[in-house]
Structures are given as structure tokens and as C-alpha cells.
Amino acid sequence: MTIANKIKDIVGADVFTNCAGADDFINGAVAEVADLVSDEYLKKYQHGGALEIVDASPGFISVSGKRVLDVHREDSTYNRKCMRVSHMDAISKYTDANSSFKATPLTPVWYLDGANLKIFPAPDDTDRGIVCSFTYPTTAWSGSSDTSFVGMPPELEQSVLLRASLMILQSYISNAVQDDEDVEMQQMLNTQLESLKANYQSEIDRFVKGGAQ
């Protein structure tokens, strides 16, 4: 069963079909749920395919549409874990030759410059940077034949389906109120909405409050 059909089973085909922003809501639900779980939990599913190498040229990688899970820098013998710092701190402290906080090969840092991830000391072709990231699955789900959220931990699928359904139904109810739909129908939809909220919270709590690893 496709992702779209799974959501139709939850909210109803009419609700799904009449939601112009369904694809955006599903993509948003994917990102929201992925951001609620720990880095370690996501890393279990990334394997080698999510590792990117940063060398001398261009010296950075774009992480647009991705969540950074781990950053290391090679230093001849070991891979040193990089500490994340803000862009402002990177400029004012960690890359300043005159600063006592200046990062070294033993204490490397990483930071975001816009959508670009940079490491300091800057990697070269011998001592490279290694970045592990999670790419948020995005597509036009309403017309997709995908039956799962490829790249997402499979245990999170139900949470994503429920969160997407919740947002789609909220949008549908909002439009129905503006269109002055039948009061009894609105009450039924609101009851369905509350049930979805409870189901989603119960499902996502298994991974958030339980500290899924």
C-alpha cells in the first residue's frame, strides 16, 4: 500500500484528496518526527551511505535538507570528534590565530556557514573530515508509488503517518469551518482530530520519552 493510501485509510480519501497541501504536510511530518529522536537512534540506519568526506577542495559540504548526526576529522592516527560551535564563535574564537580558544587537530570544531558545513582546522587530502548525516525523505507523496519512507527508521513510520494525518485533517477542518459546513459533520471531524492527537502522542512517546537508542 502506498504512503498516500495509508494516510487515506486514517483520515478518509475525501479529506486527503481535498487537502491541497497534503504533500507538504507529509514532508513536514517526516522532518518533525525525525527531529524528535536522538542522533544515535538515526545513526543505526545510516550505515556507510550517509558518510561524506570533506577534503581540501572545496573544503566543505552542503547539508541542506539534512540533519547532521556526527562530524570527525582525521589526524594521521585517529579520527577526532569535532565539537559543534556557532558560526559567530567559529569566527571570533575557534579560527582566530590569536585566540586561546583556537581549535587544533586534537580539538577540531565544526560549524554551519549558511547551508555549508565547515570544519576547523580545515581538512586537507590527508587529514579529511568525515560527516554522518540523515537526509529527510521528501517527495510528492500524493502521486508517489512509494510504500515506505525510504531512509527513515521503519519503526517511526506509524508516527509519521499519524502526524501527517493530523495536520491534513486540521487543514480540512479549518477550510470546512470557513465554508460553513454542516455543524454535525464538523463535530465528527473534531472528534476524529482529538483521537488522532491521542494516538500520535502515544506512538511518538515510545521513541521520545523512552529515549530510543
Side-chain angles (χ1 to χ4, degrees), residues 79-97:
N79 288 345
R80 305 286 182 180
K81 185 176 179 65
C82 299
M83 178 178 71
R84 180 173 186 174
V85 299
S86 70
H87 187 204
M88 186 61 69
D89 281 346
I91 295 172
S92 63
K93 296 196 304 187
Y94 295 101
T95 64
D96 183 350

Side-chain angles (χ1 to χ4, degrees), residues 109-130:
V109 299
W110 72 272
Y111 60 97
L112 293 178
D113 183 359
N116 294 325
L117 184 151
K118 296 183 177 180
I119 298 172
F120 191 85
D124 55 36
D125 293 335
T126 300
D127 296 327
R128 307 169 304 168
I130 304 171

